[in-house]
Amino acid sequence: MAEIATNLKLVCEKILRAASKRAPRIYQIVSRMRKRKKNLLQERGYCEPRLVAVSKLQSIESILSAYEAGQRHFGENYVNELVEKASHPQILKHCKEIQWHFIGNLQRNKVNKVLSAPNLYLIETVDNERIASALNNSWIKFRKSDDKKLNIMVQVNTSQERGKSGCDMTEAPALVKYIVNTCPSLKFIGLMTIGIFGHDIANGPNPDFISLLKCQEMVCNELGIDTKNIELSMGMSNDYEHAIELGSTSVRVGTAIFGSRPQKNI
């Protein structure tokens, strides 16, 4: 378990280095593309992105080790696994400040269950109005105070792969507008994408990450939201540094912290 602490420290160091290079990197890319405004780029200067440790299929002991090493944000892909881990006696006892992210595909029949997870911080995968409405209507039963809203992100399928969750880029502004205007129990905080795995940055910046940047600008322009108020969740173990350099404010890292993921029991 000491290896987890070592890996976590290395990942955090790489995140800081990537973030420090963010602004120059974006200027270079956009200068070549000639498609974005300089004043928007200036707002994407240095800041420390959030690290979400993806604990999918990892043990309670592994989560405790990462928490003890200073990690606070954890992400889960499966509703049942999230609820089981978040409700585990050791997690409740020793991880008082843990904040859970749900980062998997969410079905309407699992909405109440995911909302029952203790210390739920953010659902990153809202991709249609029906899910947004279901979360909005159910959250009132689970929130601990009248003014506490549920943090959500809108997932965008930037790669346009069939079978992959996420709304189309062109649909994102309308979905965000629907959430902001008709879902008072939800707090829209950003956009999330997964993208195609294995992009070689020797061929240029990841097009899925560039697409999410464009999507962010579309939402800002159509809804009058400041760029600083729309987070970007993009980048995983194989490309989180590249994602941060392009503007990601939140990265989802699993194997680089925990090592190889165990096989799921069928």
Side-chain angles (χ1 to χ4, degrees), residues 21-253:
K21 296 186 289 185
R22 172 180 295 169
R25 176 66 171 163
I26 295 175
Y27 273 115
Q28 292 169 11
I29 291 169
V30 176
S31 177
R32 291 196 298 267
M33 295 179 66
R34 298 181 179 180
K35 288 185 178 180
R36 296 178 61 77
K37 297 179 181 179
K38 185 176 180 180
N39 64 331
L40 287 178
L41 295 175
Q42 290 172 335
E43 295 176 356
R44 302 185 192 279
Y46 174 84
C47 69
E48 184 175 351
R50 179 194 302 113
L51 170 61
V52 179
V54 179
S55 48
K56 170 185 175 182
L57 303 180
Q58 300 294 341
S59 67
I60 294 297
E61 290 74 21
S62 294
I63 296 172
L64 290 170
S65 294
Y67 186 91
E68 289 171 5
Q71 181 62 24
R72 293 295 180 266
H73 291 267
F74 292 81
E76 289 289 339
N77 291 71
Y78 305 120
V79 172
N80 291 344
E81 188 174 1
L82 168 62
V83 174
E84 289 173 7
K85 288 178 176 176
S87 305
H88 194 281
Q90 290 189 63
I91 297 295
L92 293 174
K93 180 179 180 181
H94 298 292
C95 306
K96 302 291 187 183
E97 298 177 354
I98 198 167
Q99 295 181 300
W100 292 102
H101 295 231
F102 183 70
I103 57 175
N105 181 42
L106 180 60
Q107 299 175 330
R108 280 203 302 169
N109 63 351
K110 292 291 184 73
V111 163
N112 284 342
K113 189 161 191 176
V114 75
L115 294 183
S116 71
N119 299 307
L120 179 65
Y121 174 76
L122 170 63
I123 293 180
E124 298 198 15
T125 51
V126 176
D127 61 2
N128 62 72
E129 293 181 1
R130 293 169 59 191
I131 286 293
S133 293
L135 290 168
N136 179 70
N137 295 335
S138 295
W139 180 238
I140 192 170
K141 298 183 292 186
F142 296 94
R143 63 187 184 187
K144 295 181 179 179
S145 60
D146 290 339
D147 61 346
K148 182 175 176 57
K149 294 187 176 185
L150 174 66
N151 294 324
I152 64 100
M153 285 185 170
V154 166
Q155 182 177 1
V156 183
N157 185 356
T158 52
S159 62
Q160 298 183 324
E161 294 175 81
R162 290 186 177 182
K164 181 177 286 185
S165 299
C167 67
D168 189 86
M169 268 185 61
T170 59
E171 299 170 349
L175 178 54
V176 173
K177 184 176 182 179
Y178 176 84
I179 292 167
V180 171
N181 291 341
T182 66
C183 299
S185 294
L186 305 184
K187 181 179 180 181
F188 167 73
I189 68 168
L191 303 169
M192 176 266 215
T193 194
I194 295 175
I196 296 176
F197 182 81
H199 172 74
D200 185 356
I201 61 174
N203 298 322
N206 189 316
D208 291 315
F209 297 164
I210 296 298
S211 291
L212 199 66
L213 287 168
K214 293 179 182 177
C215 189
Q216 181 193 41
E217 187 171 354
M218 288 167 54
V219 172
C220 290
N221 289 340
E222 294 195 28
L223 278 75
I225 302 176
D226 194 306
T227 308
K228 295 178 181 178
N229 295 327
I230 298 183
E231 297 187 26
L232 297 178
S233 175
M234 58 187 193
M236 298 185 287
S237 286
N238 64 311
D239 57 10
Y240 66 93
E241 292 172 90
H242 177 59
I244 289 170
E245 289 184 29
L246 292 181
S248 180
T249 61
S250 184
V251 292
R252 309 177 303 274
V253 181

